């Protein structure tokens, strides 16, 4: 399915871009599976998603759990825990 | 009301506007967060606040709604800046107007504790040892957990 | 710093002056108390604050000193008005600057709770049922008792 | 002994003055004894100090207990509990 991915903080720096449009294979149905697929791409993606660091996800600007089911056209964001305030 | 902006804010003007003319208000509490020149032992020369436009506003609106549901508040304001800041610069203003001080203190403290863990902001510090992304603090998780519903 | 005065105060200017230039400050909390138009079920047209000149200043200085002893504070301000006020008017400002927000919230809350029971002020309300001296509230005693040293 | 007395809030209104200089008899040595002596004067004093209401005292602008020993020249203040803030 087609997804718009968004990255923040060190993840954005590590991957080298803030957003990208992807077309995922059929076996990517959940946030967790998307993360695994991104890691498998290697390069900046492999490094960023391969780190032993906490990453959170949001779909269409709302926090979701790892087993959240994705839909075609979703905006999926990955980022480390928040540090505002 | 919530606002996300690059510009500084005028605390006096913001507090004066809070519930202006509402004479049921007996207490106004506020919190201002500022950039410190020292963080985890390193000198901080500058701090850049990144955020997630759209999600940030939604998260702050949710946080305000949660506070208004928990306490009887006459007015609520959250203003959070993004972009490049220097030590001494204001980062965030949280203010609450209520009839009595107990509620106003609790709600204000709640708002900033929740904001820290629930609003999509990330701090990049420029220190004498180079740039680094601030890591989330367990203290902040614990502060937010205090307000979890039993 | 403490001040007792008849004149209104400028919250923005007072907060901006608090610890000005001290870049160890990460958190500024404030409380503003205002005259409400309703008190114990009666409409309030005006409120006159009487105080004990000399003792008031001494009591407020003691309260500030106690807060500074309990928490590591970068700056403290208490401004309390006396004389005739109307609904919506500011009565008191308490503000605290500290490195971290937990201390700043606790100290600010402590200061106003202690001030209520330990500073010699008395409120005379002009209501639709005539003038009456406000009675001390058990809520305020309980709020102050929270801060008693164990 | 010679004392300067100061009254606040409803006590001041009830007595009809905010301050007065008094010369007390020899049996007035403590705050409590001063209060009894003032009540025994009758009139506004009798009414104010005879009321079943909490009154606090300060000597030379510091809160004291009822058994505080007075000294010649002291400023003694009587008032109801505080209601500022």
């Amino acid at each position: 399915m087609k997804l718009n991915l968004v990255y923040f903080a060190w993840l954005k720096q590590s991957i080298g871009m803030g957003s990208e449009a992807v077309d995922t294979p059929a076996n990517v149905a959940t946030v967790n599976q998307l993360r695994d697929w991104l890691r498998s791409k290697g390069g900046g993606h492999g490094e960023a998603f391969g780190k032993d660091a906490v990453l959170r996800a949001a779909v269409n600007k709302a926090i979701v759990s790892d087993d959240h089911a994705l839909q075609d056209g979703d905006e999926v964001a990955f980022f480390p825990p928040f540090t505002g305030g | 009301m919530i606002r996300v902006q690059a510009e500084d804010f005028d605390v006096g003007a913001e507090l004066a506007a809070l519930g202006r003319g509402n004479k049921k208000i007996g207490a106004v509490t506020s919190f201002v967060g500022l950039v410190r020149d020292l963080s985890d032992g390193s000198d901080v020369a500058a701090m850049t606040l990144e955020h997630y436009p759209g999600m940030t506003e939604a998260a702050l609106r949710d946080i305000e709604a949660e506070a208004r549901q928990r306490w009887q508040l006459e007015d609520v304001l959250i203003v959070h800046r993004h972009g490049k800041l220097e030590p001494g610069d204001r980062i965030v203003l949280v203010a609450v107007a209520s009839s009595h001080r107990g509620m106003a203190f609790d709600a204000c403290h709640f708002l900033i504790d929740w904001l820290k863990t629930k609003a999509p902001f990330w701090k990049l510090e420029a220190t004498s040892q180079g740039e680094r992304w601030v890591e989330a603090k367990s203290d902040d998780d614990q502060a937010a957990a205090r307000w979890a519903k039993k």
Side-chain angles (χ1 to χ4, degrees), chain A, chain B:
Chain A
M1 74 191 121
K2 290 191 193 324
L3 298 172
N4 294 303
L5 305 186
V6 198
Y7 309 120
F8 292 97
W10 63 260
L11 194 67
K12 172 163 88 176
Q13 291 184 322
S14 192
I15 292 173
M17 58 182 125
S19 65
E20 63 180 321
V22 296
D23 199 346
T24 57
N27 64 341
V28 172
T30 67
V31 168
N32 222 9
Q33 288 162 352
L34 172 62
R35 199 188 309 232
D36 289 345
W37 178 70
L38 288 166
R39 181 170 52 238
S40 74
K41 292 175 76 168
H45 289 78
E47 198 188 321
F49 286 98
K51 271 194 188 170
D52 183 23
V54 177
L55 282 184
R56 304 249 157 88
V59 171
N60 301 327
K61 302 191 168 76
I63 294 282
V64 294
S65 59
D66 281 357
D67 59 359
H68 179 90
L70 298 170
Q71 297 196 300
D72 191 63
D74 275 349
E75 175 177 300
V76 185
F78 289 103
F79 40 76
F82 309 141
T83 58
Chain B
M1 193 175 66
I2 65 103
R3 283 194 341 253
V4 181
Q5 61 188 44
E7 312 80 57
D8 193 13
F9 45 81
D10 177 335
V11 178
E14 300 290 355
L15 293 184
L18 201 72
R20 197 195 295 274
N22 177 347
K23 290 172 184 169
K24 285 190 285 189
I25 296 170
V28 173
T29 51
S30 74
F31 168 83
V32 177
L34 302 146
V35 181
R36 297 165 64 219
D37 64 2
L38 193 78
S39 168
D40 288 329
S42 295
D43 291 333
V44 173
M47 171 183 281
T48 304
L49 269 145
E50 187 173 312
H51 77 117
Y52 187 176
M55 181 171 166
T56 310
E57 290 80 357
L60 295 181
R61 272 191 291 267
D62 284 352
I63 294 168
E64 173 179 352
E66 180 68 27
R68 285 181 182 271
Q69 210 215 303
R70 291 184 183 212
W71 294 278
Q72 174 127 22
L73 307 178
E74 299 296 328
D75 209 351
V76 172
L77 175 67
I78 304 173
V79 184
H80 203 300
R81 296 177 68 188
H82 60 86
K84 191 170 176 186
L85 304 176
E86 292 178 2
D89 283 353
R90 283 175 278 266
I91 303 169
V92 60
L93 168 66
V94 175
V96 170
S98 185
S99 57
H100 292 91
R101 73 187 186 284
M103 288 188 287
F105 271 107
D106 285 350
C108 191
H109 205 159
F110 164 84
L111 286 163
I112 185 64
D113 282 350
W114 265 36
L115 185 158
K116 288 240 169 200
T117 61
K118 294 185 193 295
F121 289 96
W122 300 272
K123 285 176 182 153
L124 176 68
E125 287 174 346
T127 78
S128 44
Q129 281 97 58
E131 287 198 338
R132 66 178 183 198
W133 290 94
V134 172
E135 292 198 26
K137 293 183 177 60
S138 61
D139 282 3
D140 288 332
D141 289 338
Q142 286 160 24
R146 282 201 304 136
W147 303 103
K149 286 210 164 138
K150 312 287 189 307

